[in-house]
Amino acid sequence: MHCLWCHQEMIPAIEWGNFFLPDKPKFGCDWCLGQLEVLDGELCKECGRREEAEVCSDCRRWNASSEWKGVLSFNKSVFGYNDMMKEVIAKWKYRGDYALCDLFREDFVRTFNELFKDVKGAKVVPIPLSKERLYERGFNQAEALAGFLDMPSENVLSRIHGEKQSKKTRRDRLMASNPFTLTVGITDPVILIDDIYTTGITLRHAAKLLKEAGCPEVYAFTLARG
Amino acid sequence: MVHTVLNTIGSFLYPTFDWIPTSTYDRSSTETEIHAKQFSGKLLLREEIPLEENLLNQLLSTDLMTTIPSIEKYIWGHRCRRCGNKAKHLFATIPCSRCGTTHVYCRKCIEMGRVMSCSPLYYWTGPQPLRLEQSEPCSWQGELTSHQQKASNEIEKTMMTEAVAELLVWAVCGAGKTEMLFQGINEAIRRGKRVCLATPRADVVRELYPRFTTAFPNTTIEALYGGSEQKKGEGQLILATTHQLLRFAHAFDVVIIDEIDAFPYHADPSLPFASNRAAKPNASLIYLTATPRKKHRNQVQSKQLKAVFVPVRFHGHPLPVPKLHMCFSLKKSLTKFEAPQAFYQWYERRMNPKRQLLIFVPVIALAEKITLSLRDNALFSRETITSVHASDEDRKEKVQAFRDRKLSVLVTTTILERGVTFPSVDVAVLDACHDVFDEAALVQIAGRAGRSPDDPTGEVIFFHDGKTDAMVAAVDAIKQMNKRGRNL
């Protein structure tokens, strides 16, 4: 096997542990995987960023608004958005190197199972791309992540084409109108899947729509906290 | 049956380019001229073609543009037709939402846009663009030495051969390689041929560009490298890094590869693949080098590859032979990020203290830290010493400052080993026994000294703590060339 990121060949050491049973397949070398920052320890309990206070100032602002309070139960991100993560996501998403998402697989699945094991009857919903963007990229990164999970994912949302989120300022993002529409009715708890939580507005737009349609709880599970 | 299998295996091992379509048009018209200029000789993805869907369809239906499957499939693997990649781990599959199936894509050249098996490559099969007719394109007036002239004639002869022809120009550092090309390129441009001068190093492209625009004032010349201002690739004379050739196919009548032995050309199979594909089927290929790799030396020796030697520098003086200086405490000094004592002793006793000094070190960290310790030494003045390496943002500016003699000492990694000319320098290598200093690198480094006719000598000194084969071979190679030069 070669590391998906640095292309270095990985030669596993033979030990008693893997003498009879082969190891789980490894997608990245230890050095490259070590560069990714797993988010644990003291985090904001609402958006999952590193924070000493229980709730960070961003989330307090969300809670102060009557329109957005409680729309999203919480967000959990697996990784921090450090330089390495930025590079990997850029190559994966914008260059379109689909295979790179396997680097995240193990941590992504483990964190999901730890957190959402007890949520009964929940449905996994990946954040969609607009038709135009989907054609341009060739794949939806949120669907790729949702595909790692044991639960089947349901595409109940569709998205209207607009400017790229990453090209907008924070203010522009918060002012934008809701880009999503609901294609199928849904009344189960929903776990939204996306690649990056930056301001949280995208996920809240989707969550608001789902709540209005009758979902009791909407959670967000994202790869990185921007 | 056996024959077919063998052919398939053969075409996987040794790439052929018979899949590149040929043009059915022989005369150009004014309507097609604009697209001919824009697209001819290029192998493009749909995203790289700035045309509306219906205009492109129109070009396709009239055979002005042709699509080519982008990935070759074999039972045991694939080959990307853009970069020649056939390594299994550099292919992966993608559940593609464009075509709705899961298929293979190339991971190796993905930085230039993704090559997927469901999307073809586009190639211009219309008429060739018109080139400006010039009776004497080259306005360079300088004179060549007799050795240069001999090589120059040989180069022109090879370029004018109507069948495939290859020539290796084995010329010492500072032989005046660029000037030897002018005569041949002049004739090629005069006959309306398209010429590419490619090199693995962007620095070299940047240095060559102004020289060529002065020498060929009326020819359309473009310099292409990662981050270059020009990107179109439409010129009749293209100066480019070898990476840029990944976008060309059967484009050039003459392909010249400068510094063919330099990294990464010899280490990355995509680059020879791309430069062979960029050449037309009956093109002539000229390779320039001061330090050919073993493969080429063997081919020359067994007469498979024609070669011409230029063993003397243009000013006629011999190459400076490196001195080897053993210092026992080298490793100890280097772990403290200091230069060894012997270096300071040598520095004080240099023959010509007015010369600038280039110090080569094996790794980036050492370059930065040793500069700090040199600055603290009373022998040097603080402001005129700095370091440079590949990931240095101010690399261009620092090299220019050294060239303008605003700096007296430049500490560098191997990035300045070749392609750059400073008129009057001494050269020191710290830790010359390190792996990065192979024979070619050391010969090139030694070749930085004594470039100018006003100061044709220069000191070259290798500080080491144990002679390596590379060091011995480099000294031998330089002496050999000097001997060859004397005997002429």
Side-chain angles (χ1 to χ4, degrees), chain A residues 4 96-99 135 137-138, chain B residues 95 97-98 105 107 111 114:
Chain A
L4 279 173
D97 196 353
Y98 183 81
Y135 185 85
R137 297 234 171 104
Chain B
S97 54
R98 288 190 195 175
Y105 71 95
R107 298 188 62 215
E111 291 293 337
R114 185 173 51 200

Side-chain angles (χ1 to χ4, degrees), chain A residues 3-20:
Chain A
C3 170
L4 279 173
W5 185 247
C6 67
H7 305 312
Q8 223 36 262
E9 194 171 3
M10 298 180 291
I11 301 159
I14 305 274
E15 293 157 352
W16 285 117
N18 59 14
F19 192 80
F20 296 106

